[in-house]
mmCIF file of all heavy atoms in Angstrom:
data_model
loop_
_atom_site.group_PDB
_atom_site.id
_atom_site.type_symbol
_atom_site.label_atom_id
_atom_site.label_comp_id
_atom_site.label_asym_id
_atom_site.label_seq_id
_atom_site.Cartn_x
_atom_site.Cartn_y
_atom_site.Cartn_z
ATOM 1 N N PHE Q 1 129.912 121.157 80.536
ATOM 2 C CA PHE Q 1 128.808 120.555 79.785
ATOM 3 C C PHE Q 1 127.675 120.026 80.692
ATOM 4 O O PHE Q 1 126.538 119.897 80.196
ATOM 5 C CB PHE Q 1 129.285 119.367 78.931
ATOM 6 C CG PHE Q 1 130.521 119.697 78.134
ATOM 7 C CD1 PHE Q 1 131.603 118.837 78.142
ATOM 8 C CD2 PHE Q 1 130.643 120.881 77.433
ATOM 9 C CE1 PHE Q 1 132.782 119.083 77.444
ATOM 10 C CE2 PHE Q 1 131.792 121.157 76.694
ATOM 11 C CZ PHE Q 1 132.844 120.269 76.706
ATOM 12 N N ASP Q 2 127.975 119.812 81.918
ATOM 13 C CA ASP Q 2 126.945 119.180 82.803
ATOM 14 C C ASP Q 2 127.287 119.380 84.211
ATOM 15 O O ASP Q 2 128.394 119.067 84.682
ATOM 16 C CB ASP Q 2 126.852 117.661 82.478
ATOM 17 C CG ASP Q 2 125.928 116.940 83.424
ATOM 18 O OD1 ASP Q 2 124.911 117.505 83.786
ATOM 19 O OD2 ASP Q 2 126.274 115.820 83.816
ATOM 20 N N VAL Q 3 126.392 119.989 84.976
ATOM 21 C CA VAL Q 3 126.553 120.169 86.390
ATOM 22 C C VAL Q 3 125.433 119.426 87.105
ATOM 23 O O VAL Q 3 124.235 119.752 86.926
ATOM 24 C CB VAL Q 3 126.507 121.656 86.815
ATOM 25 C CG1 VAL Q 3 126.631 121.773 88.304
ATOM 26 C CG2 VAL Q 3 127.620 122.392 86.124
ATOM 27 N N PRO Q 4 125.707 118.427 87.920
ATOM 28 C CA PRO Q 4 124.675 117.746 88.674
ATOM 29 C C PRO Q 4 123.936 118.698 89.566
ATOM 30 O O PRO Q 4 124.560 119.451 90.340
ATOM 31 C CB PRO Q 4 125.446 116.665 89.480
ATOM 32 C CG PRO Q 4 126.717 116.519 88.764
ATOM 33 C CD PRO Q 4 127.076 117.842 88.201
ATOM 34 N N CYS Q 5 122.629 118.664 89.538
ATOM 35 C CA CYS Q 5 121.839 119.583 90.333
ATOM 36 C C CYS Q 5 120.802 118.855 91.251
ATOM 37 O O CYS Q 5 120.377 117.726 90.912
ATOM 38 C CB CYS Q 5 121.075 120.557 89.408
ATOM 39 S SG CYS Q 5 122.110 121.646 88.454
ATOM 40 N N PHE Q 6 120.465 119.521 92.333
ATOM 41 C CA PHE Q 6 119.451 119.062 93.253
ATOM 42 C C PHE Q 6 118.520 120.261 93.533
ATOM 43 O O PHE Q 6 119.051 121.310 93.980
ATOM 44 C CB PHE Q 6 120.047 118.550 94.500
ATOM 45 C CG PHE Q 6 119.128 117.915 95.490
ATOM 46 C CD1 PHE Q 6 118.998 116.546 95.549
ATOM 47 C CD2 PHE Q 6 118.328 118.698 96.312
ATOM 48 C CE1 PHE Q 6 118.113 115.931 96.455
ATOM 49 C CE2 PHE Q 6 117.400 118.083 97.208
ATOM 50 C CZ PHE Q 6 117.302 116.727 97.267
ATOM 51 N N GLY Q 7 117.252 120.134 93.298
ATOM 52 C CA GLY Q 7 116.358 121.294 93.497
ATOM 53 C C GLY Q 7 115.014 120.925 94.071
ATOM 54 O O GLY Q 7 114.786 119.785 94.537
ATOM 55 N N MET Q 8 114.085 121.852 93.952
ATOM 56 C CA MET Q 8 112.719 121.630 94.504
ATOM 57 C C MET Q 8 112.016 120.477 93.866
ATOM 58 O O MET Q 8 111.344 119.684 94.524
ATOM 59 C CB MET Q 8 111.911 122.916 94.313
ATOM 60 C CG MET Q 8 112.407 124.108 95.075
ATOM 61 S SD MET Q 8 112.256 123.890 96.900
ATOM 62 C CE MET Q 8 110.501 124.006 97.076
ATOM 63 N N ARG Q 9 112.232 120.293 92.564
ATOM 64 C CA ARG Q 9 111.587 119.172 91.884
ATOM 65 C C ARG Q 9 112.162 117.852 92.365
ATOM 66 O O ARG Q 9 111.455 116.841 92.442
ATOM 67 C CB ARG Q 9 111.753 119.285 90.371
ATOM 68 C CG ARG Q 9 111.096 118.202 89.630
ATOM 69 C CD ARG Q 9 110.942 118.486 88.148
ATOM 70 N NE ARG Q 9 110.409 117.345 87.470
ATOM 71 C CZ ARG Q 9 109.827 117.422 86.245
ATOM 72 N NH1 ARG Q 9 109.726 118.560 85.647
ATOM 73 N NH2 ARG Q 9 109.348 116.293 85.683
ATOM 74 N N THR Q 10 113.464 117.839 92.690
ATOM 75 C CA THR Q 10 114.077 116.608 93.211
ATOM 76 C C THR Q 10 113.410 116.223 94.557
ATOM 77 O O THR Q 10 113.163 115.040 94.765
ATOM 78 C CB THR Q 10 115.582 116.792 93.396
ATOM 79 O OG1 THR Q 10 116.110 117.517 92.324
ATOM 80 C CG2 THR Q 10 116.288 115.433 93.460
ATOM 81 N N LEU Q 11 113.211 117.227 95.378
ATOM 82 C CA LEU Q 11 112.558 116.938 96.662
ATOM 83 C C LEU Q 11 111.159 116.338 96.469
ATOM 84 O O LEU Q 11 110.766 115.392 97.108
ATOM 85 C CB LEU Q 11 112.402 118.225 97.469
ATOM 86 C CG LEU Q 11 113.641 118.726 98.200
ATOM 87 C CD1 LEU Q 11 113.310 120.080 98.898
ATOM 88 C CD2 LEU Q 11 114.185 117.713 99.208
ATOM 89 N N GLU Q 12 110.410 116.913 95.501
ATOM 90 C CA GLU Q 12 109.080 116.402 95.219
ATOM 91 C C GLU Q 12 109.146 114.976 94.720
ATOM 92 O O GLU Q 12 108.353 114.104 95.129
ATOM 93 C CB GLU Q 12 108.431 117.275 94.159
ATOM 94 C CG GLU Q 12 107.030 116.859 93.763
ATOM 95 C CD GLU Q 12 106.441 117.656 92.637
ATOM 96 O OE1 GLU Q 12 107.055 118.710 92.288
ATOM 97 O OE2 GLU Q 12 105.445 117.263 92.066
ATOM 98 N N SER Q 13 110.128 114.690 93.876
ATOM 99 C CA SER Q 13 110.304 113.337 93.341
ATOM 100 C C SER Q 13 110.669 112.350 94.429
ATOM 101 O O SER Q 13 110.238 111.195 94.466
ATOM 102 C CB SER Q 13 111.327 113.318 92.217
ATOM 103 O OG SER Q 13 110.878 114.134 91.151
ATOM 104 N N MET Q 14 111.534 112.757 95.360
ATOM 105 C CA MET Q 14 111.917 111.951 96.497
ATOM 106 C C MET Q 14 110.680 111.596 97.332
ATOM 107 O O MET Q 14 110.454 110.446 97.725
ATOM 108 C CB MET Q 14 112.978 112.647 97.358
ATOM 109 C CG MET Q 14 114.339 112.649 96.741
ATOM 110 S SD MET Q 14 115.548 113.485 97.824
ATOM 111 C CE MET Q 14 115.542 112.376 99.292
ATOM 112 N N GLU Q 15 109.868 112.577 97.597
ATOM 113 C CA GLU Q 15 108.683 112.389 98.427
ATOM 114 C C GLU Q 15 107.725 111.380 97.742
ATOM 115 O O GLU Q 15 107.201 110.463 98.365
ATOM 116 C CB GLU Q 15 107.962 113.695 98.676
ATOM 117 C CG GLU Q 15 106.770 113.582 99.634
ATOM 118 C CD GLU Q 15 106.131 114.936 99.909
ATOM 119 O OE1 GLU Q 15 106.025 115.752 98.935
ATOM 120 O OE2 GLU Q 15 105.754 115.175 101.019
ATOM 121 N N LEU Q 16 107.513 111.601 96.425
ATOM 122 C CA LEU Q 16 106.636 110.669 95.681
ATOM 123 C C LEU Q 16 107.201 109.278 95.645
ATOM 124 O O LEU Q 16 106.437 108.307 95.565
ATOM 125 C CB LEU Q 16 106.423 111.206 94.272
ATOM 126 C CG LEU Q 16 105.578 112.518 94.170
ATOM 127 C CD1 LEU Q 16 105.623 113.041 92.729
ATOM 128 C CD2 LEU Q 16 104.171 112.243 94.613
ATOM 129 N N GLY Q 17 108.526 109.149 95.622
ATOM 130 C CA GLY Q 17 109.133 107.849 95.577
ATOM 131 C C GLY Q 17 109.350 107.159 96.918
ATOM 132 O O GLY Q 17 109.827 106.034 97.012
ATOM 133 N N GLY Q 18 108.937 107.866 98.003
ATOM 134 C CA GLY Q 18 109.071 107.309 99.310
ATOM 135 C C GLY Q 18 110.522 107.263 99.833
ATOM 136 O O GLY Q 18 110.933 106.358 100.528
ATOM 137 N N ILE Q 19 111.296 108.309 99.486
ATOM 138 C CA ILE Q 19 112.703 108.378 99.857
ATOM 139 C C ILE Q 19 112.913 109.581 100.781
ATOM 140 O O ILE Q 19 112.602 110.719 100.404
ATOM 141 C CB ILE Q 19 113.618 108.501 98.610
ATOM 142 C CG1 ILE Q 19 113.324 107.298 97.688
ATOM 143 C CG2 ILE Q 19 115.095 108.585 98.996
ATOM 144 C CD1 ILE Q 19 113.871 107.558 96.299
ATOM 145 N N ALA Q 20 113.417 109.364 102.001
ATOM 146 C CA ALA Q 20 113.472 110.439 102.988
ATOM 147 C C ALA Q 20 114.926 110.920 103.288
ATOM 148 O O ALA Q 20 115.128 111.693 104.218
ATOM 149 C CB ALA Q 20 112.847 109.976 104.273
ATOM 150 N N ALA Q 21 115.896 110.460 102.485
ATOM 151 C CA ALA Q 21 117.257 110.908 102.734
ATOM 152 C C ALA Q 21 118.061 110.945 101.463
ATOM 153 O O ALA Q 21 117.884 110.101 100.565
ATOM 154 C CB ALA Q 21 117.970 110.008 103.727
ATOM 155 N N ALA Q 22 118.945 111.932 101.329
ATOM 156 C CA ALA Q 22 119.801 112.058 100.114
ATOM 157 C C ALA Q 22 121.217 112.459 100.573
ATOM 158 O O ALA Q 22 121.388 113.251 101.541
ATOM 159 C CB ALA Q 22 119.283 113.088 99.154
ATOM 160 N N ALA Q 23 122.206 111.882 99.886
ATOM 161 C CA ALA Q 23 123.603 112.230 100.126
ATOM 162 C C ALA Q 23 124.204 112.776 98.827
ATOM 163 O O ALA Q 23 124.240 112.109 97.789
ATOM 164 C CB ALA Q 23 124.366 110.991 100.602
ATOM 165 N N LEU Q 24 124.692 114.037 98.880
ATOM 166 C CA LEU Q 24 125.130 114.756 97.718
ATOM 167 C C LEU Q 24 126.638 114.998 97.813
ATOM 168 O O LEU Q 24 127.131 115.354 98.887
ATOM 169 C CB LEU Q 24 124.408 116.101 97.589
ATOM 170 C CG LEU Q 24 122.874 116.072 97.795
ATOM 171 C CD1 LEU Q 24 122.354 117.498 97.768
ATOM 172 C CD2 LEU Q 24 122.231 115.214 96.717
ATOM 173 N N GLU Q 25 127.331 114.768 96.731
ATOM 174 C CA GLU Q 25 128.801 114.987 96.774
ATOM 175 C C GLU Q 25 129.137 116.459 96.928
ATOM 176 O O GLU Q 25 128.704 117.296 96.146
ATOM 177 C CB GLU Q 25 129.468 114.411 95.509
ATOM 178 C CG GLU Q 25 130.983 114.542 95.596
ATOM 179 C CD GLU Q 25 131.732 113.838 94.480
ATOM 180 O OE1 GLU Q 25 131.087 113.106 93.704
ATOM 181 O OE2 GLU Q 25 132.967 113.958 94.427
ATOM 182 N N ALA Q 26 129.878 116.761 97.974
ATOM 183 C CA ALA Q 26 130.258 118.167 98.262
ATOM 184 C C ALA Q 26 131.075 118.767 97.185
ATOM 185 O O ALA Q 26 131.937 118.089 96.564
ATOM 186 C CB ALA Q 26 130.995 118.227 99.610
ATOM 187 N N ASP Q 27 130.797 120.043 96.888
ATOM 188 C CA ASP Q 27 131.526 120.858 95.921
ATOM 189 C C ASP Q 27 131.239 120.434 94.456
ATOM 190 O O ASP Q 27 131.776 121.098 93.531
ATOM 191 C CB ASP Q 27 133.067 120.857 96.159
ATOM 192 C CG ASP Q 27 133.436 121.607 97.374
ATOM 193 O OD1 ASP Q 27 132.716 122.582 97.711
ATOM 194 O OD2 ASP Q 27 134.419 121.233 98.029
ATOM 195 N N ASN Q 28 130.511 119.377 94.260
ATOM 196 C CA ASN Q 28 130.190 118.934 92.888
ATOM 197 C C ASN Q 28 128.721 118.920 92.498
ATOM 198 O O ASN Q 28 128.389 118.900 91.306
ATOM 199 C CB ASN Q 28 130.791 117.545 92.681
ATOM 200 C CG ASN Q 28 132.292 117.490 92.621
ATOM 201 O OD1 ASN Q 28 132.914 118.451 92.147
ATOM 202 N ND2 ASN Q 28 132.888 116.434 93.102
ATOM 203 N N VAL Q 29 127.840 118.978 93.475
ATOM 204 C CA VAL Q 29 126.417 119.038 93.218
ATOM 205 C C VAL Q 29 125.896 120.419 93.565
ATOM 206 O O VAL Q 29 126.126 120.920 94.706
ATOM 207 C CB VAL Q 29 125.655 117.986 93.999
ATOM 208 C CG1 VAL Q 29 124.136 118.092 93.758
ATOM 209 C CG2 VAL Q 29 126.163 116.559 93.603
ATOM 210 N N VAL Q 30 125.236 121.053 92.663
ATOM 211 C CA VAL Q 30 124.639 122.392 92.882
ATOM 212 C C VAL Q 30 123.224 122.220 93.484
ATOM 213 O O VAL Q 30 122.419 121.445 92.903
ATOM 214 C CB VAL Q 30 124.553 123.211 91.603
ATOM 215 C CG1 VAL Q 30 123.709 124.462 91.810
ATOM 216 C CG2 VAL Q 30 125.962 123.598 91.139
ATOM 217 N N ILE Q 31 122.975 122.889 94.545
ATOM 218 C CA ILE Q 31 121.621 122.884 95.180
ATOM 219 C C ILE Q 31 120.976 124.152 94.725
ATOM 220 O O ILE Q 31 121.257 125.254 95.198
ATOM 221 C CB ILE Q 31 121.689 122.797 96.681
ATOM 222 C CG1 ILE Q 31 122.442 121.544 97.153
ATOM 223 C CG2 ILE Q 31 120.273 122.773 97.279
ATOM 224 C CD1 ILE Q 31 122.663 121.449 98.634
ATOM 225 N N LEU Q 32 120.030 124.050 93.762
ATOM 226 C CA LEU Q 32 119.414 125.228 93.182
ATOM 227 C C LEU Q 32 118.400 125.819 94.155
ATOM 228 O O LEU Q 32 117.585 125.114 94.757
ATOM 229 C CB LEU Q 32 118.687 124.838 91.903
ATOM 230 C CG LEU Q 32 119.594 124.371 90.771
ATOM 231 C CD1 LEU Q 32 118.746 123.806 89.635
ATOM 232 C CD2 LEU Q 32 120.455 125.514 90.279
ATOM 233 N N GLU Q 33 118.467 127.103 94.385
ATOM 234 C CA GLU Q 33 117.628 127.818 95.364
ATOM 235 C C GLU Q 33 117.819 127.185 96.717
ATOM 236 O O GLU Q 33 116.885 126.705 97.364
ATOM 237 C CB GLU Q 33 116.178 127.738 94.919
ATOM 238 C CG GLU Q 33 115.891 128.394 93.529
ATOM 239 C CD GLU Q 33 114.492 128.245 93.090
ATOM 240 O OE1 GLU Q 33 114.011 127.097 92.925
ATOM 241 O OE2 GLU Q 33 113.809 129.285 92.864
ATOM 242 N N LYS Q 34 119.047 127.203 97.151
ATOM 243 C CA LYS Q 34 119.469 126.439 98.345
ATOM 244 C C LYS Q 34 118.613 126.683 99.590
ATOM 245 O O LYS Q 34 118.148 125.710 100.234
ATOM 246 C CB LYS Q 34 120.939 126.810 98.659
ATOM 247 C CG LYS Q 34 121.657 125.807 99.538
ATOM 248 C CD LYS Q 34 123.105 126.337 99.750
ATOM 249 C CE LYS Q 34 124.067 125.210 99.673
ATOM 250 N NZ LYS Q 34 125.452 125.696 99.918
ATOM 251 N N GLU Q 35 118.397 127.911 99.950
ATOM 252 C CA GLU Q 35 117.656 128.193 101.171
ATOM 253 C C GLU Q 35 116.201 127.668 101.050
ATOM 254 O O GLU Q 35 115.650 127.117 102.027
ATOM 255 C CB GLU Q 35 117.593 129.686 101.433
ATOM 256 C CG GLU Q 35 118.971 130.281 101.841
ATOM 257 C CD GLU Q 35 118.915 131.717 102.215
ATOM 258 O OE1 GLU Q 35 117.796 132.311 102.208
ATOM 259 O OE2 GLU Q 35 119.965 132.325 102.487
#
């Protein structure tokens, strides 16, 4: 029903929020368009 995701929009939101680091749970968070 729900897969936690991290993508390009997340990066943009981090930059706008002044956040320069993220820690994602391995094997449980999908990085969309990883490369």
Side-chain angles (χ1 to χ4, degrees):
F1 314 131
D2 174 37
V3 178
C5 294
F6 186 101
M8 294 294 288
R9 181 165 176 161
T10 320
L11 282 179
E12 179 185 349
S13 297
M14 286 181 63
E15 184 177 40
L16 290 172
I19 303 163
L24 314 175
E25 184 171 353
D27 290 329
N28 287 329
V29 177
V30 170
I31 303 175
L32 295 171
E33 301 176 300
K34 198 181 221 182
E35 292 184 3

